[in-house]
């Protein structure tokens, strides 16, 4: 379906080749009518071919229960179509209008401490409210019926960033739905009591009605109840997503449906790998969080989005041309960042580059958020960079529809482990699941080694080396699968706090990490978390923070790759490797950080025979990704640094990039080059 969509994006020029999509959220209702025509003219100038319309338009479209106002939307759809611009039309359900919340305050979410989340911002609705659902689906149906045959309609955009503000609702609606979900999962109360370990603290339930969401409690709420509530909350929104989708599919079966995910930073409430199968193509929103690893994080998120999309092309539905408005300090992008950030997403499989938003708002909470047309107007650096990127994306049309070529290294990213490892009442509150995975990713980038970020349901056998940082939750079948992976020739690397619990968050007994103890050939009697600021030295493998383990080697064939030199466990193993069948299983018991991991990695990559594919002069400074399709392979080279990187010995057609007088490619600061590689 995505390929049909991409071939609709040719504008009025009559050209029928698929194109990368380029555009933004477009909110014409914030502007007087006379601005609309200028908008369409500037969109054409910038090369825009797709905009998302109507995302926050509910109050405008339906000003009262039985009153509809489509005139303005009809007109804007018509203007866009005449300008050759496709519409990713929102179902407009993201933010319920004041008349609805006044008539039905029972749709408002409730916090863990029982406070109502009032209207005044957006997304103030309970995912499980039957009343909200009835009104929202009526709107979806009305939209779908009205625009089903509109020539501008390219795709449906369900709601907006589902769960951004309302993933956790503790209302009575949520309590009822949570009980139904638990009945489905456990069937009997006995099974639930066992899974939740309710023998502890006198929590045994004798009736389903006694069960509540983990509302504000006197101390730590039951951990499995917390974990199940996370699972339930993700499922509840997925179920809502399905409800909107089903209405759309009934009325417009041929129009692709998407919703914008938020694979970025610490957004973890929505189990996106589990949602991805519900929509026709994956879309993601990504915003840079300034900091030392900011562009590595961008690459990591884009990479993970590709994993969630099972390697198929996806849409970058939102990012920013420059500053956002919601960080403590909203840093403007430097010259070159706009294009580099966008193209890095394309390198990882995005077939669309869209921003929030087209025209910077003059009023409202996002008036300081950058846009494609800033407050300064079209005579601005930002708009010039936007227009230049439009040209670049046109040149990259052959990339549309191609898939990312798999790497030889996989980094396993697991939502259940993310959720469970960061819960309260643990050995440390300082553990940061995503940061550990990102550090491994940065270390690989520093060595110039490509890696895919994948979920546990991916085809793991495709990877020679699998890094599973903090894979905390390991149900028995996954333990078996990882053992089989290693024994049949894969090389598994895992870290501290992995394999400690099963799917009920019950400890695998007999010494940690119970699920992987035999495979790793080690046994841990006690965890040794470190206080913030404390560290331990390892012989030959840098410095550890956050965590240490008291490790006993149980299999004489285990090789100790590094010992602790200082700290409570001085002299004991810190990093181990066991040859398992045809492969191996390694364990890293402390947090080494990017530099420490980059130092250790060559040792871990060795047995898998993985090496950098980059020339020596580019290692560390360049990220390399390949996209592949029936008409060729496309090599993306991204300069991660603020310096110039010359690249020699490359042959192919340079689609994007600068060459020197000898014809060699030169990557300027933060530049991206794209080369179509010769066949074969
Ligand atoms: C997203 C949202 C947009 C806009 C943007 C600002 O979370 O979908 O509507 O608010 O952030 O960065």
């Amino acid at each position: 379906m995505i390929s049909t969509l991409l071939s609709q994006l040719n504008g009025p020029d009559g050209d029928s080749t698929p194109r990368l999509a380029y555009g933004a959220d477009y909110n014409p209702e914030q502007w007087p009518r006379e601005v609309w025509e200028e908008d369409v003219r500037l969109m054409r100038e910038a090369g825009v071919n797709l905009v998302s319309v109507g995302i926050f338009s509910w109050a405008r479209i339906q000003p009262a229960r039985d009153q509809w106002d489509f005139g303005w939307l009809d007109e804007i759809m018509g203007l866009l179509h005449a300008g050759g611009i496709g519409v990713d039309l929102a179902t407009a359900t993201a933010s319920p209008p004041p008349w609805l919340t006044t008539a039905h305050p029972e749709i408002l979410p409730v916090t863990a401490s029982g406070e109502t989340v009032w209207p005044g911002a957006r997304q103030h609705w309970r995912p499980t409210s039957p009343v909200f659902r009835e009104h929202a689906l009526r709107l979806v149906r009305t939209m779908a019926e009205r625009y089903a045959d509109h020539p501008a309609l390219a795709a449906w955009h369900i709601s907006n960033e589902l769960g951004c503000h309302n993933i956790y609702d503790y209302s009575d609606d949520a309590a009822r739905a949570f009980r139904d979900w638990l009945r489905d999962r456990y069937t009997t109360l006995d099974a639930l009591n066992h899974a939740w370990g309710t023998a502890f603290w006198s929590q045994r339930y004798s009736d389903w009605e006694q069960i509540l969401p983990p509302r504000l409690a006197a101390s730590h709420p039951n951990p499995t109840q917390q974990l199940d509530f996370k699972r339930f909350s993700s499922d509840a929104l997925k179920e809502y997503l399905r409800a909107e989708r089903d209405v759309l599919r009934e009325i417009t079966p041929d129009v692709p449906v998407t919703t914008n995910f938020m694979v970025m930073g610490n957004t973890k409430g929505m189990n996106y790998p589990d949602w991805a199968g519900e929509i026709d193509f994956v879309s993601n929103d990504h915003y840079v969080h300034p900091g030392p690893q900011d562009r590595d994080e961008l690459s990591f998120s884009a990479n993970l989005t590709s994993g969630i999309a099972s390697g198929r092309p996806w849409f970058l539905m939102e990012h920013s041309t420059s500053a956002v408005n919601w960080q403590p300090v909203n840093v403007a992008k430097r010259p070159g960042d706009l294009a580099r950030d966008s193209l890095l997403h394309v390198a990882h499989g995005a077939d669309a580059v869209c921003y929030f938003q087209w025209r910077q708002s003059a009023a409202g909470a996002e008036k300081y958020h950058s846009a494609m047309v800033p407050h300064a107007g079209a005579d601005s650096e930002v708009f010039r960079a936007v227009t230049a990127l439009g040209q670049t994306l046109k040149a990259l049309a052959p990339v549309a529809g191609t898939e990312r070529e798999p790497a030889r290294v996989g980094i396993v990213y697991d939502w259940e482990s993310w959720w469970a490892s960061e819960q309260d009442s643990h050995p440390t509150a300082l553990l940061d699941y995503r940061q550990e995975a990102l550090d491994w990713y940065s270390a690989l980038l520093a060595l110039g080694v490509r890696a895919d970020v994948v979920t546990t349901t991916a085809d793991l056998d495709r990877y020679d080396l699998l890094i599973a940082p903090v894979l905390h939750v390991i149900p028995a079948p996954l333990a078996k699968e990882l053992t089989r992976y290693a024994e049949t020739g894969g090389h598994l690397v895992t870290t501290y706090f992995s394999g400690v619990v099963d799917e009920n968050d019950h400890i695998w007994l007999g010494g940690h990490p119970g699920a992987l103890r035999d495979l790793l050939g080690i046994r841990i009697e006690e965890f040794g978390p470190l206080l913030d600021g404390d560290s331990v030295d390892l012989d030959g493998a840098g410095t550890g923070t956050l965590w240490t383990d008291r490790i006993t080697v149980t299999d004489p064939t285990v090789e100790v790759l590094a010992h602790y030199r200082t700290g409570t466990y001085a002299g004991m193993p810190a990093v181990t490797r066991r040859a398992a069948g045809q492969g191996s299983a390694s364990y890293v018991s402390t947090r080494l950080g990017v530099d420490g991991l980059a130092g250790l990695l060559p040792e871990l990559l060795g047995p898998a025979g993985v090496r950098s594919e980059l020339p020596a002069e580019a290692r560390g400074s360049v990220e390399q990704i390949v996209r592949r399709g029936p008409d060729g392979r496309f090599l993306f080279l991204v300069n991660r640094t603020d310096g110039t990187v010359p690249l020699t010995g490359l042959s192919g057609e340079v689609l994007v990039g600068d060459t020197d007088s000898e014809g060699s490619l030169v990557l300027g600061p933060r530049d991206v080059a794209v080369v179509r590689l010769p066949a074969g």
Side-chain angles (χ1 to χ4, degrees):
M1 265 183 160
I2 203 170
S3 50
T4 321
L5 199 177
L6 295 170
S7 42
Q8 279 170 20
L9 302 176
N10 307 308
D13 322 344
D15 161 18
S16 67
T17 44
R19 290 240 316 257
L20 295 173
Y22 189 41
D25 284 12
Y26 179 37
N27 298 301
E29 66 270 41
Q30 293 178 16
W31 297 96
R33 170 72 180 75
E34 56 273 18
V35 176
W36 299 356
E37 271 164 32
E38 187 192 60
D39 281 336
V40 175
R41 182 177 60 74
L42 290 177
M43 284 176 192
R44 288 178 56 78
E45 196 177 315
V48 163
N49 54 19
L50 185 79
V51 290
S52 300
V53 176
I55 293 177
F56 295 106
S57 307
W58 193 343
R60 179 76 193 261
I61 290 170
Q62 192 185 8
R65 195 185 185 290
D66 291 311
Q67 209 183 316
W68 301 90
D69 175 6
F70 282 111
W72 69 279
L73 188 52
D74 293 350
E75 197 175 348
I76 200 76
M77 294 279 287
L79 281 176
L80 289 165
H81 179 61
I85 296 157
V87 175
D88 168 48
L89 187 58
T91 55
T93 53
S95 198
W99 62 261
L100 178 55
T101 48
T102 305
H104 293 289
E106 73 274 21
I107 70 170
L108 299 172
V110 175
T111 65
S113 52
E115 288 157 320
T116 297
V117 176
W118 295 102
R122 63 177 174 185
Q123 216 174 59
H124 38 274
W125 51 274
R126 299 178 184 177
T128 57
S129 162
V131 177
F132 175 77
R133 188 171 296 202
E134 184 196 320
H135 282 85
L137 295 187
R138 183 167 169 240
L139 173 60
V140 176
R141 184 168 290 279
T142 312
M143 291 285 286
E145 282 168 351
R146 185 164 191 101
Y147 295 106
D149 299 318
H150 199 289
L153 179 65
W156 285 112
H157 180 295
I158 290 185
S159 194
N160 188 62
E161 291 189 343
L162 287 166
C164 179
H165 312 292
N166 66 349
I167 178 71
Y168 296 121
D169 164 43
Y170 299 81
S171 66
D172 289 341
D173 279 333
R176 266 189 298 276
F178 187 36
R179 284 178 207 122
D180 290 344
W181 184 93
L182 290 167
R183 274 202 193 90
D184 252 20
R185 183 174 174 90
Y186 295 110
T187 314
T188 68
L189 266 185
D190 276 352
L192 177 138
N193 277 309
H194 168 74
W196 285 20
T198 56
F200 183 80
W201 280 355
S202 181
Q203 292 174 348
R204 190 170 179 80
Y205 295 99
S206 54
D207 193 311
W208 291 97
E209 291 305 305
Q210 297 158 357
I211 301 172
L212 296 168
R215 292 175 177 160
L216 179 68
S219 177
H220 306 296
N222 180 302
T224 317
Q225 176 191 18
Q226 290 192 56
L227 183 57
D228 272 347
F229 190 65
K230 292 186 175 98
R231 291 171 172 145
F232 153 77
S233 298
S234 179
D235 280 359
L237 272 175
K238 181 177 74 172
E239 176 51 38
Y240 175 80
L241 167 67
R242 274 198 198 134
E244 281 208 19
R245 181 209 58 196
D246 288 350
V247 174
L248 298 170
R249 284 208 178 142
E250 179 197 321
I251 300 165
T252 53
D254 299 327
V255 179
V257 173
T258 193
T259 192
N260 44 344
F261 292 171
M262 292 175 285
V263 178
M264 70 175 129
N266 266 331
T267 305
K268 66 175 176 181
M270 288 67 73
N271 187 346
Y272 291 131
D274 179 51
W275 288 24
E278 304 295 341
I279 45 184
D280 295 315
F281 62 96
V282 165
S283 300
N284 195 47
D285 295 353
H286 185 274
Y287 291 93
V288 171
H289 291 66
Q293 280 168 280
D294 50 17
R295 266 58 189 196
D296 290 358
E297 193 284 328
L298 187 161
S299 170
F300 180 89
S301 289
N303 197 325
L304 174 56
T305 305
S306 175
I308 289 169
S310 302
R312 284 189 285 277
W314 49 277
F315 270 37
L316 176 63
M317 198 56 100
E318 286 181 27
H319 68 317
S320 67
T321 57
S322 191
V324 298
N325 66 304
W326 43 263
Q327 290 166 356
V329 177
N330 296 298
V331 177
K333 291 194 179 182
R334 296 162 301 174
D337 281 346
L338 182 148
R340 189 259 307 257
D341 292 353
S342 302
L343 294 174
L344 193 42
H345 286 285
V346 175
H348 282 287
D351 269 358
V353 168
C354 298
Y355 293 98
F356 177 83
Q357 59 176 326
W358 165 249
R359 187 180 278 278
Q360 187 169 18
S361 300
E366 292 179 330
K367 59 183 175 295
Y368 294 112
H369 194 293
S370 60
M372 294 175 93
V373 182
H375 289 152
D379 181 11
S380 58
E381 279 307 308
V382 166
F383 190 69
R384 280 186 279 279
V386 157
T387 307
L389 179 60
Q391 289 301 321
T392 303
L393 293 174
K394 253 188 207 158
L396 288 178
V399 171
T402 61
E403 300 197 350
R404 226 178 34 148
E405 203 162 84
R408 295 183 59 199
V409 179
I411 296 183
V412 177
Y413 202 82
D414 178 45
W415 252 254
E416 296 255 316
S417 290
W418 194 5
W419 286 340
S421 66
E422 293 183 359
Q423 292 210 135
D424 57 35
S425 58
H426 274 192
T428 177
L430 303 178
L431 186 147
D432 184 336
Y433 177 84
R434 198 174 206 266
Q435 186 62 50
E436 183 63 41
L438 178 58
D439 283 356
W440 283 89
Y441 190 72
S442 284
L444 287 161
L445 285 176
L447 298 178
V449 174
R450 278 197 302 134
D452 292 348
V453 186
V454 294
T455 63
T456 48
T457 52
D459 173 10
L460 303 181
D461 286 326
R462 130 192 299 200
Y463 298 101
D464 297 313
L465 180 78
L466 211 51
I467 300 171
V470 195
L471 189 61
H472 183 58
V473 180
I474 303 200
L478 180 57
K480 247 185 156 167
E481 171 62 11
L482 293 173
T483 304
R484 189 205 51 76
Y485 166 78
E487 284 175 350
T488 55
H491 297 273
L492 176 73
V493 176
T494 190
T495 73
Y496 60 89
F497 217 32
S498 294
V500 173
V501 296
D502 67 9
E503 65 277 24
N504 292 326
D505 200 25
H506 291 196
I507 300 286
W508 287 106
L509 298 174
H512 309 300
L516 300 175
R517 207 167 47 220
D518 293 342
L519 177 62
L520 294 165
I522 60 170
R523 181 166 177 269
I524 293 162
E525 281 182 36
E526 201 174 19
F527 303 127
L530 300 178
L531 291 172
D532 202 10
D534 280 0
S535 61
V536 289
D537 289 341
L538 274 64
D539 54 12
T543 301
T545 59
L546 183 81
W547 196 282
T548 58
D549 282 316
R550 175 194 286 276
I551 297 178
T552 312
V553 169
T554 53
D555 176 340
T557 67
V558 166
E559 235 182 305
V560 177
L561 302 180
H563 290 88
Y564 291 111
R565 205 167 51 194
T566 60
T568 314
Y569 306 141
M572 297 179 75
V575 180
T576 61
R577 173 166 57 215
R578 174 173 171 261
Q582 293 157 277
S584 72
S586 302
Y587 185 76
V588 181
S589 65
T590 184
R591 174 160 186 232
L592 290 174
V594 179
D595 292 345
L597 293 175
L600 176 67
L601 265 166
E603 177 73 62
L604 301 173
L605 294 167
V610 176
R611 256 168 257 104
S612 173
E613 297 158 342
L614 281 165
E617 71 269 17
R619 269 176 223 159
S621 42
V622 172
E623 176 177 356
Q624 164 176 288
I625 308 110
V626 180
R627 287 187 65 169
R628 180 176 59 189
D631 298 326
R633 291 171 77 229
F634 301 90
L635 175 65
F636 285 74
L637 296 156
V638 184
N639 187 350
R640 305 171 67 223
T641 73
D642 292 339
T644 299
V645 186
L647 287 161
T648 45
L650 268 174
S651 52
E653 180 197 354
V654 178
L655 295 180
V656 176
D658 297 321
T659 45
D660 64 15
S661 52
E662 258 100 79
S664 291
L665 205 55
V666 179
L667 281 176
R670 303 189 287 283
D671 261 3
V672 178
V674 185
V675 180
R676 191 203 282 255
L677 298 171

